[in-house]
Amino acid sequence: MTHPGHRLRALLDAPEILVLPGVQDALSARLAAQHGFGAVVAGGNAATGTLLGAADLGQLGLRDFADHYGRIAAATDLPVLVDADTGFGGPHNVARMVRAFEQAGIAGFFMEDQVTPKRCGYLSGKAVVPVREQLGKLAAALDARRDPALVICARTDALGVEGLDAALERAALFREAGADMVFVQGADDSATLRAACAAVPGPHLANVSQASGRPGLSAAECQAAGAAAVMFPMAALLAALQAMDRLFATLRQTGRVQAGGDALLPFARYNALTGLDALVAAEDAYAARAEAVQARRAGGEP
C-alpha cells in the first residue's frame, strides 16, 4: 500500500494552500471527506476534550493517541496529520511514538518543544526544553520512521516563552536537522506568520484556533503569508458542541427534540455517512456465499 504521507506531501507541494479541517473522531473525519477536503488534522486539544472531557494539559499518553488516531485514519482515505505533543518523553519514547503512529496509518505528525507534561499552546505557564534536547528528539523521530514518506513537522512554542527571534532560530535549526515542515505556534497574525515563512525555508504549517482568542486568518491570508498548509483544529468540535448544547437545553426545558428545519442532521444522511447500505449489502453477500456452500454440500458437490 502507498504510504499516506505521499499524498500529504503532494498536497503540501501544490500551488494552493492545503486547508486542514480539524476532526475529533472517525465520524467527523468521514464527514470532512464528504465535503471534498484533501486531508484532515487531528489535534491534541480536541482529542483530550473528546476522550476525557477535560482541558488539554497533557493528560493523554502515547497509547491513547495511537488508538484514537488509528480509528480516525481507518475511517477515511484522506491523509491524517496528527498532534504528537512532546513525543511522550525522551528520544526512545519518541522512536516508539513514531512506530506506533505509523502503524496507526497516519500521514504525518507535528511534535513540539514544550516540557512534559505540556499545556495547550495558548495557555500561560508554558516552558520549552533546551533546543539541543529537542534536536535530539527530532533526530530520533527521523531515524525511527520506517517510510520516508511520513511527514515530520517540528513545532516550536518558543514564541510565547522567549520571543519571535528565539522561535525563528529554533524553527531554522529544526528544518536544518531534517524536519519536513515547521510550525511556529503563536504566529497567528499575518505579519508574524509572514516573518516566520520568510526566515525559515521550506513548508510552514499555520494554525487558526479559537483558543487564541483572536480573529483568525483566512486560508487565503495564510497562503499570502507563505504557509503551505493551515489547520482549523477546534472549529468542528466547537460547532458540534454548540449544536448539542442547544439541543440539550431545549430537551431539558420542553421535553421535546425539535426535528424541523436544520436542527438535526437527517437520519438518512447519517446512514449514508456511516455507510449503512454498503454494510448491509456486504452482509447479504456473505449470507449468499454461505448458502451457496451449504447448497453444494447438500447436492453432493465437492
Side-chain angles (χ1 to χ4, degrees), residues 161-299:
V161 180
E162 300 175 351
L164 180 59
D165 289 343
L168 296 184
E169 175 62 18
R170 284 186 177 230
L173 286 168
F174 297 157
R175 178 68 176 162
E176 185 176 338
D180 301 305
M181 181 164 59
V182 295
F183 167 21
V184 179
Q185 165 62 25
D188 298 325
D189 61 87
S190 294
T192 308
L193 181 59
R194 189 180 300 274
C197 294
V200 183
H204 280 251
L205 174 63
N207 183 26
V208 178
S209 174
Q210 284 66 42
S212 70
R214 296 185 291 274
L217 299 176
S218 68
E221 289 171 323
C222 291
Q223 179 170 348
V230 55
M231 62 179 179
F232 297 80
M234 292 291 292
L237 175 58
L238 295 177
L241 287 171
Q242 177 79 308
M244 287 188 284
D245 191 36
R246 290 171 176 167
L247 184 143
F248 291 153
T250 299
L251 180 60
R252 183 69 181 89
Q253 292 166 8
T254 69
R256 294 177 179 273
V257 171
Q258 300 299 322
D262 60 355
L264 298 179
L265 186 79
F267 205 73
R269 178 82 188 279
Y270 174 78
N271 287 338
L273 182 62
T274 56
L276 177 63
D277 288 346
L279 293 172
V280 171
E283 286 186 345
D284 292 342
Y286 291 136
R289 287 168 60 181
E291 290 172 2
V293 171
Q294 289 179 311
R296 289 197 301 270
R297 181 71 172 176

Side-chain angles (χ1 to χ4, degrees), residues 57-82:
L57 296 174
Q59 305 95 311
L60 292 177
L62 167 59
R63 182 44 53 193
D64 297 315
F65 277 117
D67 291 346
H68 180 61
Y69 295 153
R71 285 189 289 270
I72 291 173
T76 177
D77 291 331
L78 298 182
V80 182
L81 178 70
V82 305

Side-chain angles (χ1 to χ4, degrees), residues 1-250:
M1 294 179 62
T2 302
H3 193 287
H6 287 293
R7 285 175 287 147
L8 180 57
R9 288 173 182 271
L11 292 167
L12 292 172
D13 290 340
E16 291 295 318
I17 191 169
L18 173 61
V19 177
L20 296 160
V23 298
Q24 64 270 12
D25 53 25
L27 193 58
S28 56
R30 291 179 70 98
L31 187 58
Q34 282 201 355
H35 281 275
F37 288 98
V40 296
V41 66
N45 202 340
T48 307
T50 300
L51 296 178
L52 300 182
D56 181 15
L57 296 174
Q59 305 95 311
L60 292 177
L62 167 59
R63 182 44 53 193
D64 297 315
F65 277 117
D67 291 346
H68 180 61
Y69 295 153
R71 285 189 289 270
I72 291 173
T76 177
D77 291 331
L78 298 182
V80 182
L81 178 70
V82 305
D83 187 349
D85 274 0
T86 62
F88 311 102
H92 301 302
N93 304 78
V94 169
R96 184 167 176 264
M97 175 270 292
V98 171
R99 291 191 289 269
F101 280 13
E102 278 196 301
Q103 188 174 9
I106 62 101
F109 65 85
F110 51 90
M111 180 176 67
E112 67 202 58
D113 55 0
Q114 282 195 51
V115 300
T116 301
K118 56 76 57 84
R119 300 173 70 84
C120 170
Y122 291 100
L123 294 178
S124 61
K126 293 191 303 179
V128 293
V129 300
V131 67
R132 180 176 295 180
E133 179 179 334
Q134 190 66 16
L135 286 168
K137 293 167 68 171
L138 177 57
L142 292 165
D143 286 349
R145 65 179 171 186
R146 293 186 173 93
D147 194 315
L150 178 73
V151 175
I152 295 180
C153 176
R155 164 178 158 173
T156 178
D157 283 58
L159 192 154
V161 180
E162 300 175 351
L164 180 59
D165 289 343
L168 296 184
E169 175 62 18
R170 284 186 177 230
L173 286 168
F174 297 157
R175 178 68 176 162
E176 185 176 338
D180 301 305
M181 181 164 59
V182 295
F183 167 21
V184 179
Q185 165 62 25
D188 298 325
D189 61 87
S190 294
T192 308
L193 181 59
R194 189 180 300 274
C197 294
V200 183
H204 280 251
L205 174 63
N207 183 26
V208 178
S209 174
Q210 284 66 42
S212 70
R214 296 185 291 274
L217 299 176
S218 68
E221 289 171 323
C222 291
Q223 179 170 348
V230 55
M231 62 179 179
F232 297 80
M234 292 291 292
L237 175 58
L238 295 177
L241 287 171
Q242 177 79 308
M244 287 188 284
D245 191 36
R246 290 171 176 167
L247 184 143
F248 291 153
T250 299

